[in-house]
Amino acid sequence: MGKNEEPMFKTYDTLEQATHAQPRVTALLACQNNLMPASWHMPVSKSPFRYAVAVREENYTHALLEEHGSFTLNFLPFEHYETVNRMGKIHGDSEDKLAISGLKSEGKDGNGNVLLSASDFIYECVVCDRYKNGDHAIFIADVTKIHVNEKQSAKPMLFSGLGKYGTVGETVLATKGETI
């Protein structure tokens, strides 16, 4: 690096300082009628199919998950980003987030968790394990049912932090290099 060149990277000690984009698929986690935007989630096993979600311990959703031990993960298309963002700013212990969202329910799973009609797909989940990790708890769940909307959107919702949402611009079939 020359004398007057800026370094390519800046180094930070915390996520809050860095504020870097980490595009992640975002879903609405429903525990009963409470809706919480979730972008810290991932599959952790194929057989049995298990899924993990990270929830901050101070959130109302955390208390609901501890109490009920189940949830649905509703993967909504990009067009619903404003609703998802709004759900992250409302406290479910004092307001009816489902009613405020304006989203329609397709009913409830066997544990009383909402199935949102606008979803591209929905996982019904039953918690089988829980880990405390820093300021979050990681709930591991058995996925007991998967609901797939036959009219899926081609635009999944991605969250990049700091209120920024986006979607994919192009889909490529990697094995053939073809644009879909």
Side-chain angles (χ1 to χ4, degrees):
M1 180 166 47
K3 284 183 179 180
N4 296 327
E5 284 185 59
E6 289 284 323
M8 181 182 278
F9 296 99
K10 293 184 179 180
T11 303
Y12 301 94
D13 295 322
T14 67
L15 182 61
E16 288 80 11
Q17 292 173 324
T19 63
H20 63 291
Q22 298 178 343
R24 297 176 300 275
V25 173
T26 299
L28 278 178
L29 184 155
C31 190
Q32 305 297 291
N33 282 345
N34 186 65
L35 305 176
M36 181 197 88
S39 62
W40 287 11
H41 57 83
M42 67 179 193
V44 293
S45 173
K46 278 187 173 180
S47 183
F49 185 27
R50 289 195 172 142
Y51 212 80
V53 294
V55 179
R56 190 179 284 252
E57 289 187 314
E58 66 192 32
N59 286 0
Y60 178 59
T61 301
H62 181 276
L64 288 174
L65 288 170
E66 289 284 348
E67 180 181 346
H68 297 284
S70 65
F71 59 93
T72 58
L73 210 51
N74 297 266
F75 293 87
L76 297 162
F78 175 70
E79 67 193 66
H80 295 284
Y81 75 90
E82 289 175 328
T83 301
V84 170
N85 190 55
R86 187 164 184 220
M87 293 302 97
K89 296 178 180 189
I90 299 170
H91 296 282
D93 56 348
S94 59
E95 303 205 46
D96 183 345
K97 292 171 90 170
L98 179 59
I100 292 168
S101 76
L103 295 168
K104 293 180 182 165
S105 172
E106 196 64 23
K108 294 187 175 190
D109 70 3
N111 295 304
N113 302 303
V114 175
L115 304 166
L116 297 173
S117 302
S119 301
D120 282 334
F121 57 97
I122 304 167
Y123 293 162
E124 288 187 28
C125 301
V126 175
V127 176
C128 62
D129 212 343
R130 178 192 173 282
Y131 299 93
K132 179 175 174 18
N133 196 0
D135 60 357
H136 281 64
I138 300 169
F139 292 89
I140 310 291
D142 287 316
V143 178
T144 58
K145 289 186 183 170
I146 302 169
H147 304 273
V148 179
N149 187 335
E150 295 300 319
K151 299 176 186 176
Q152 282 191 32
S153 165
K155 295 187 174 190
M157 187 182 323
L158 303 173
F159 178 67
S160 294
L162 299 175
K164 296 177 188 169
Y165 290 83
T167 191
V168 294
E170 182 176 343
T171 303
V172 175
L173 184 59
T175 57
K176 296 183 181 179
E178 301 171 3
T179 301
I180 300 174

